[in-house]
Amino acid sequence: SQTIHQWPATLVQPVGSPLSLECTVEGTSNPNLYWYRQAAGRGLQLLFYSVGIGQISSEVPQNLSASRPQDRQFILSSKKLLLSDSGFYLCAWIPGAYEQYFGPGTRLTVT
Amino acid sequence: RKEVEQDPGPFNVPEGATVAFNCTYSNSASQSFFWYRQDCRKEPKLLMSVYSSGNEDGRFTAQLNRASQYISLLIRDSKLSDSATYLCVVISSNSGYALNFGKGTSLLVTP
């Protein structure tokens, strides 16, 4: 069966520090992968998506970046965090028929 | 105008009640429609897909009206465990088939 992992589960980082969140998928190959963010009191916002290794599309211009170094690995990064980067970060993938499944998420608090 | 709009609620209903959630979408080229459920501080999970002919899964019934660009979810015989946020989700052909989320409707079922 397919599973999706994210780590860390929670993170507290000071403003200006770097960020690296990792997402990996098991049990499939060449999945479409997505990063979403859910800020407090707001809906889920698509940040990046990737249809293959090295292929990244950005939906929202900001101080975040994404990379896909391996087929089943998707990384979200920042060089300098802002207070507004706080939120619940979710990685998702499509097994088929457009349904998406989410990883357990990383709750980031920028202080 | 936001692409997917929902009444945020909260909806407070007693056990056994029937409750209906509505959702509208603005992109007439939208292709796929879903309801997701999100428990507090957890990732969203697929509840059901929504088809033009309407579909039912136990106590849950989903309807789609493409002409009006309107989606609904009906929950019959509410249970305490139905308390959650219900997210209306639309997929369009752009953005790599990423999900467009409404902000969600909060449901609290009380004894």
Side-chain angles (χ1 to χ4, degrees):
Chain A
S1 64
Q2 302 91 346
T3 55
I4 181 167
H5 302 280
Q6 285 186 246
W7 61 89
T10 60
L11 194 58
V12 180
Q13 293 282 101
V15 168
S17 64
L19 174 74
S20 181
L21 303 181
E22 189 164 346
C23 169
T24 58
V25 181
E26 294 179 1
T28 186
S29 60
N30 198 31
N32 281 12
L33 295 174
Y34 305 80
W35 278 112
Y36 290 86
R37 177 173 63 198
Q38 188 174 37
R42 302 184 65 181
L44 282 104
Q45 178 187 39
L46 177 66
L47 302 176
F48 301 95
Y49 69 94
S50 172
V51 299
I53 295 175
Q55 300 179 62
I56 307 295
S57 296
S58 174
E59 288 297 303
V60 183
Q62 54 204 320
N63 67 318
L64 300 173
S65 61
S67 61
R68 187 160 174 184
Q70 299 180 42
D71 181 43
R72 289 172 288 177
Q73 184 185 33
F74 202 21
I75 296 173
L76 182 70
S77 304
S78 175
K79 292 182 179 178
K80 288 186 178 181
L81 284 168
L82 306 173
L83 285 174
S84 58
D85 291 325
S86 293
F88 190 33
Y89 287 81
L90 290 155
C91 181
W93 72 290
I94 295 183
Y98 307 145
E99 298 170 8
Q100 287 192 355
Y101 293 91
F102 290 86
T106 295
R107 197 162 295 279
L108 171 66
T109 303
V110 182
T111 59
Chain B
R1 180 185 171 190
K2 189 163 170 51
E3 186 160 341
V4 182
E5 298 202 46
Q6 294 180 250
D7 180 346
F11 284 58
N12 292 343
V13 303
E15 267 187 294
T18 295
V19 61
F21 303 140
N22 301 321
C23 170
T24 58
Y25 61 95
S26 60
N27 186 346
S28 59
S30 298
Q31 298 174 296
S32 302
F33 309 89
F34 306 93
W35 284 100
Y36 275 69
R37 170 191 169 130
Q38 187 174 23
D39 293 292
C40 186
R41 301 180 72 81
K42 297 287 188 180
E43 74 274 20
K45 293 187 177 177
L46 179 66
L47 179 65
M48 59 195 303
S49 302
V50 187
Y51 305 116
S52 297
S53 55
N55 48 300
E56 185 174 311
D57 182 3
R59 297 182 292 109
F60 298 83
T61 301
Q63 298 275 357
L64 167 64
N65 184 323
R66 286 187 183 269
S68 303
Q69 296 181 193
Y70 171 91
I71 305 162
S72 66
L73 176 68
L74 184 75
I75 305 176
R76 293 181 299 278
D77 189 24
S78 299
K79 311 292 185 189
L80 295 177
S81 58
D82 293 334
S83 298
T85 297
Y86 290 83
L87 303 167
C88 177
V89 180
V90 173
I91 293 181
S92 305
S93 57
N94 56 349
S95 301
Y97 299 101
L99 303 181
N100 290 307
F101 285 85
K103 288 189 177 181
T105 299
S106 176
L107 172 66
L108 177 63
V109 182
T110 56

